[in-house]
Amino acid sequence: MFIVMASPECAPIAKAGGLGDFVHGLCRELASRGNAVELVLPKYDSLRFDRIEDLHKVHSDLWVPFYDGAIHCDVEYGEVDGIKCFFIDAHSEHGFFNRGKIYGDADDPDRFAFFSRAVMELLYKSGKHPDIIHCNDWHTGLMPVLLYEIYAGLGMDRTRVCYSLHNVGHQGWTGPHVLHMNGLDAGRLMAAERLRDPGNPGAVNLMKGGIVFSNFVTTVSPRYAWEIQHTEQGMGLQDVLQVHDHKFGGVLNGIDYDTWSPQRDTHLPVRYGPETLPEKAKSKTALRARTGLAEDFKPLVAVVSRLDRQKGVELIRHGIYYALEQGCQFVLLGSASSPEVNADFQRIKDDTDASPDCHLELGYDEDLAHLIYAGADMILIPSVYEPCGLTQMIAMQYGCVPVARRVGGLADTVFDANYSDRPFEERNGYVFDDFTYAGLESALGRAIGLWQRYPEYFRQLRVNGMRQDHSWNGPAQHYLDIYTHIRT
Ligand code: ADP
């Protein structure tokens, strides 16, 4: 099959979170099964160019329609861990992709609406007829609209679209000008059954457009699929997802075992697996040395997260003090985009800096993340909502036991040591329901107690997690089945 993936992110060259990992892992797995896979990304000035092989210009004459005129783009090509990538390089005074970052500007809807048009124009002008275009999140929600409204009539009538929702907390709310920008009929498309935002009749909702116009819509876990159809987690999209229920489902993400495997990870002092678990202690020692923690007989609890309301920052803060009170050590690696949240965690850092048992690192650090998963005993994930969550799957792979709130993909992957109805060998962590201090303590307290009093049972939980298959193997097959289903 010929599959074109369009995304605002791809690990490791342009990653802000799990979407980057998804694109990297799924593209590689699909290609390894003999499919022709091409990825299209914006050519951000912030790309990790050192990780792109043989980047060179392949088109210098792509003119992308923009209001009554057109913007001149170059297209470059290079490979990222074997993935064939095309990069749209836009030349205009807007500097759409020259912001030193991926997201976070007021004109983000314009930037990505333009990107969506540029990808479609590139496919059309280069005469490509993919079987499937796989679009991701609101940033590329306009692509199926453009395909149906414009490009199908220009001959791209056999291409089908699979659209994946990675986080409906961000839907690309904007004004009808993005439709005018792209030569689309705003009058017709602003109808309630098309792109009109359910909560604001004057606004365009790009994610809703993607849902309505795609041939199939997925989200990143079965539980999140249910939550966004039936609870306020849908953030206003519940109705449209129910109307389109016949073409909607959840597919749990995988993790890339080439990147995330303690048997192969070059970030670790010594590699290990379920049969050589005692070697994990060397990573704990290395992590303590790296973060200035004392060498002591204590469990090490960690957080690796964006510090965002979604991730349960209040409970993360409480978890730090609770774990320290219970005789643990704590390492946090967290990046906050909000200055207030950053200042809040800076205060906690100042407050705990003298402690030999606590280290907070505020920022994004891929290398340290690897060492934390390997060195920590438990990882805390108290999310308000979690579409899939990769941290719990990565942590389990490294024998680090997750303590997680039972929402979204966390509910689909973390099974409580005491209360799960699963067989013992599938139990791999601790879960709680209530988003309260008491809820968190109920799970974290049990995990700490087990580490302290029943080490053999704790070891078994680690091994259970390490033996579970979270590779891309199963999910990639699921996506291929979806592609096949919508193609015929
Ligand atoms: P989200 O996509 O909502 O941020 P996920 O759990 O799906 O959450 O994916 C998070 C990914 O980002 C994981 O690969 C995790 O290791 C990584 N990550 C999160 N925060 C940091 C950080 N501060 N430094 C390094 N890696 C991080």
Side-chain angles (χ1 to χ4, degrees):
M1 238 184 274
F2 177 20
I3 301 147
V4 169
M5 179 80 68
S7 166
E9 291 187 36
C10 177
I13 56 167
K15 169 172 160 173
L19 170 57
D21 293 306
F22 170 93
V23 167
H24 182 263
L26 181 57
C27 284
R28 277 167 48 101
E29 183 67 29
L30 292 171
S32 77
R33 293 165 180 231
N35 299 288
V37 182
E38 295 180 357
L39 170 64
V40 192
L41 290 166
K43 189 179 169 220
Y44 303 110
D45 56 355
S46 57
L47 287 174
R48 290 261 321 251
F49 288 98
D50 58 316
R51 300 293 297 270
I52 308 174
E53 272 173 53
D54 191 26
L55 187 64
H56 61 280
K57 198 181 289 187
V58 286
H59 297 281
S60 52
D61 54 354
L62 184 71
W63 287 87
V64 178
F66 187 73
Y67 291 104
D68 293 332
I71 290 179
H72 178 222
C73 296
D74 288 329
V75 181
E76 299 190 13
Y77 172 86
E79 296 200 1
V80 177
D81 295 339
I83 304 169
K84 297 177 173 167
C85 298
F86 291 85
F87 298 94
I88 307 283
D89 189 9
H91 306 299
S92 80
E93 71 278 14
H94 308 88
F96 279 141
F97 309 132
N98 298 327
R99 308 288 175 89
K101 60 188 174 192
I102 301 176
Y103 311 122
D105 282 338
D107 65 343
D108 279 0
D110 297 28
R111 297 169 63 217
F112 291 103
F114 175 76
F115 172 65
S116 300
R117 182 69 191 260
V119 181
M120 293 309 302
E121 193 67 14
L122 170 63
L123 296 177
Y124 171 59
K125 285 284 164 57
S126 51
K128 292 188 179 180
H129 292 276
D131 298 300
I132 300 293
I133 303 177
H134 192 146
C135 299
N136 296 281
D137 266 354
W138 69 262
H139 315 82
T140 51
L142 210 52
M143 284 180 58
V145 183
L146 288 163
L147 176 64
Y148 192 80
E149 294 283 310
I150 298 177
Y151 291 92
L154 297 174
M156 290 179 68
D157 51 353
R158 291 197 336 270
T159 296
R160 299 287 178 266
V161 178
C162 175
Y163 181 51
S164 293
L165 312 176
H166 298 265
N167 188 344
V168 304
H170 306 275
Q171 297 176 12
W173 297 281
T174 185
H177 68 279
V178 295
L179 305 176
H180 298 299
M181 176 203 286
N182 280 295
L184 292 165
D185 180 349
R188 203 162 47 77
L189 291 174
M190 280 299 279
E193 68 275 20
R194 299 196 182 89
L195 275 75
R196 187 202 290 171
D197 183 61
N200 178 357
V204 165
N205 185 317
L206 293 174
M207 183 172 269
K208 185 178 166 201
I211 294 168
V212 172
F213 281 81
S214 295
N215 302 95
F216 205 90
V217 183
T218 70
T219 188
V220 289
S221 69
R223 177 68 69 111
Y224 190 60
W226 183 87
E227 288 172 352
I228 60 179
Q229 270 191 321
H230 299 286
T231 76
E232 65 203 18
Q233 297 298 353
M235 311 228 4
L237 292 178
Q238 296 92 311
D239 286 350
V240 70
L241 287 169
Q242 284 179 30
V243 167
H244 293 274
D245 183 56
H246 60 284
K247 57 166 194 182
F248 176 58
V251 181
L252 194 67
N253 284 346
I255 55 173
D256 185 345
Y257 281 4
D258 284 343
T259 311
W260 300 113
S261 161
Q263 275 110 330
R264 269 171 271 168
D265 195 329
T266 51
H267 297 84
L268 315 188
V270 177
R271 284 168 274 294
Y272 62 92
E275 280 78 36
T276 50
L277 197 50
E279 299 290 351
K280 180 174 161 70
K282 294 185 178 132
S283 287
K284 190 169 182 178
T285 303
L287 176 60
R288 283 171 163 159
R290 161 71 178 75
T291 55
L293 296 187
E295 196 53 62
D296 205 343
F297 183 71
K298 290 184 173 181
L300 207 164
V301 185
V303 163
V304 178
S305 184
R306 288 185 294 115
L307 296 174
D308 184 283
R309 201 193 74 82
Q310 176 203 335
K311 300 294 180 182
V313 281
E314 302 91 330
L315 292 191
I316 291 177
R317 187 192 310 119
H318 182 72
I320 296 171
Y321 289 107
Y322 176 75
L324 293 175
E325 263 168 42
Q326 300 299 309
C328 300
Q329 294 186 319
F330 206 102
V331 170
L332 173 139
L333 171 60
S335 45
S337 54
S338 139
E340 294 80 47
V341 176
N342 196 57
D344 194 18
F345 277 85
Q346 185 60 49
R347 272 191 294 278
I348 305 173
K349 183 174 166 65
D350 296 342
D351 185 35
T352 55
D353 235 13
S355 165
D357 292 326
C358 189
H359 179 80
L360 271 58
E361 190 117 343
L362 302 183
Y364 190 91
D365 187 334
E366 192 87 28
D367 296 343
L368 180 57
H370 283 256
L371 193 56
I372 292 178
Y373 291 121
D377 297 298
M378 298 159 216
I379 191 147
L380 183 60
I381 316 170
S383 304
V384 175
Y385 71 94
E386 194 60 75
C388 176
L390 298 176
T391 43
Q392 80 281 15
M393 293 195 264
I394 298 171
M396 286 193 275
Q397 185 64 20
Y398 285 77
C400 175
V401 172
V403 178
R405 186 150 175 262
R406 193 161 56 160
V407 284
L410 296 168
D412 287 329
T413 50
V414 184
F415 309 115
D416 194 275
N418 304 123
Y419 299 121
S420 171
D421 52 12
R422 302 222 163 202
F424 175 72
E425 61 277 10
E426 290 180 24
R427 299 184 192 183
N428 52 21
Y430 287 89
V431 300
F432 63 101
D433 287 302
D434 294 347
F435 192 82
T436 58
Y437 291 169
L440 174 131
E441 289 176 15
S442 74
L444 186 53
R446 286 184 293 128
I448 295 168
L450 192 78
W451 188 96
Q452 289 166 336
R453 289 190 290 280
Y454 301 96
E456 176 48 30
Y457 189 76
F458 195 87
R459 189 192 68 81
Q460 196 56 52
L461 272 193
R462 297 188 202 263
V463 170
N464 289 353
M466 293 174 93
R467 293 229 160 100
Q468 272 153 11
D469 178 10
H470 290 295
S471 71
W472 268 104
N473 201 11
Q477 186 56 50
H478 204 142
Y479 277 106
L480 282 169
D481 291 345
I482 290 169
Y483 300 160
T484 306
H485 167 70
I486 57 180
R487 214 159 61 116
T488 48

